[in-house]
Amino acid sequence: QDILAGLTPGLIESDCEKTLKRLGLETIDLFNAHVDDRNTPVEETLEAIRRLVQAGKVRHVGASNFSARPQEDSRCATQANDWPAYCCVQQRYTYLRPRPGAGFDPQMAVNDDLLDFVRTQGTTLLAYSVLLSGAYTRPERAVADQYAGTDTDIRLVTLRDVAQEVNASPNQIILAWMQQSDPPVLPLIAASTSQQLQENIDALDITLSDDQMERLNTAGG
């Protein structure tokens, strides 16, 4: 469940109550703080989350669309006060890299700073918009303008070359690449058909070689 309107204590607690009532639950397994709220002190946000965890209404808390800096601020506050920490960060992430200066407001794409934070702190990274709504495999689905450029062209060629070597689809290679990356990434997937779901599941059986991972990681410079 995502908190969508802000991260003030009142909004957090009311959103939790509404969700529990709507779903008929006693506890939410993962409660995400969705989009960093710079107008609310981080201590107020985390204290409200602590109350929900202590009351048994929330089991785990995560962050979504947070850059590395507010993640670090939250980590320091939770350590200083012995509060529940964000166990994961959910961010826009795919094999293609956005061109410099491109944005997805209010969404945030993973960048090197966030990857370094996740790697050093042991936070789980959840990726959404992983397959770009079919743009990797469906000609009628154009790649978003935010990815346009030579870097994308080179990475697409490399992706398709590796897919051919492994006898897999580009989508499967992306899912396998994420799981074998450092830090490893848990892709959030969706499917419109049972065939698409099976294709995604079959990616679990793909193991990319060190050479293939290196080529995928370094394509485009």
Side-chain angles (χ1 to χ4, degrees), residues 24 27 75 101 113 118 157 167 171 190 204:
T27 304
R75 185 188 70 83
D113 286 342
V118 168
V157 169
N167 193 28
N171 287 346
L204 294 170

Side-chain angles (χ1 to χ4, degrees), residues 52-104:
L52 294 177
V53 172
Q54 192 172 50
K57 297 178 180 180
V58 169
R59 186 165 287 116
H60 301 288
V61 291
S64 182
N65 298 307
F66 274 46
S67 62
R69 178 56 186 271
Q71 285 272 0
E72 177 62 20
D73 292 344
S74 297
R75 185 188 70 83
C76 291
T78 57
Q79 288 187 337
N81 295 281
D82 195 26
W83 290 336
Y86 294 134
C87 67
C88 62
V89 56
Q90 177 179 296
Q91 214 88 333
R92 185 184 184 95
Y93 192 40
T94 186
Y95 176 62
L96 298 183
R97 298 180 290 206
R99 69 174 189 274
F104 302 89

Side-chain angles (χ1 to χ4, degrees), residues 13-158:
E13 292 169 339
S14 65
D15 191 82
C16 179
E17 293 295 341
K18 290 176 184 177
T19 300
L20 290 170
K21 183 177 180 180
R22 184 174 68 251
L23 298 179
L25 298 174
E26 294 183 357
T27 304
I28 297 170
D29 286 329
L30 177 60
F31 198 51
N32 274 336
H34 187 82
V35 182
D36 181 31
D37 180 359
R38 298 298 178 90
N39 296 316
T40 302
V42 64
E43 291 81 7
E44 292 184 12
T45 295
L46 295 171
E47 170 64 14
I49 290 174
R50 180 201 64 79
R51 290 194 294 269
L52 294 177
V53 172
Q54 192 172 50
K57 297 178 180 180
V58 169
R59 186 165 287 116
H60 301 288
V61 291
S64 182
N65 298 307
F66 274 46
S67 62
R69 178 56 186 271
Q71 285 272 0
E72 177 62 20
D73 292 344
S74 297
R75 185 188 70 83
C76 291
T78 57
Q79 288 187 337
N81 295 281
D82 195 26
W83 290 336
Y86 294 134
C87 67
C88 62
V89 56
Q90 177 179 296
Q91 214 88 333
R92 185 184 184 95
Y93 192 40
T94 186
Y95 176 62
L96 298 183
R97 298 180 290 206
R99 69 174 189 274
F104 302 89
D105 189 58
Q107 298 177 352
M108 294 189 67
V110 168
N111 58 23
D112 289 341
D113 286 342
L114 185 65
L115 288 174
D116 183 64
F117 175 85
V118 168
R119 184 182 299 110
T120 57
Q121 298 303 321
T123 303
T124 299
L125 176 57
L126 306 178
Y128 67 82
S129 296
V130 172
L131 303 179
L132 299 181
S133 300
Y136 287 104
T137 56
R138 297 174 62 178
E140 74 276 13
R141 297 286 180 92
V143 174
D145 291 341
Q146 289 95 328
Y147 298 101
T150 302
D151 183 78
T152 282
D153 296 339
I154 295 172
R155 287 174 82 83
L156 284 174
V157 169
T158 303

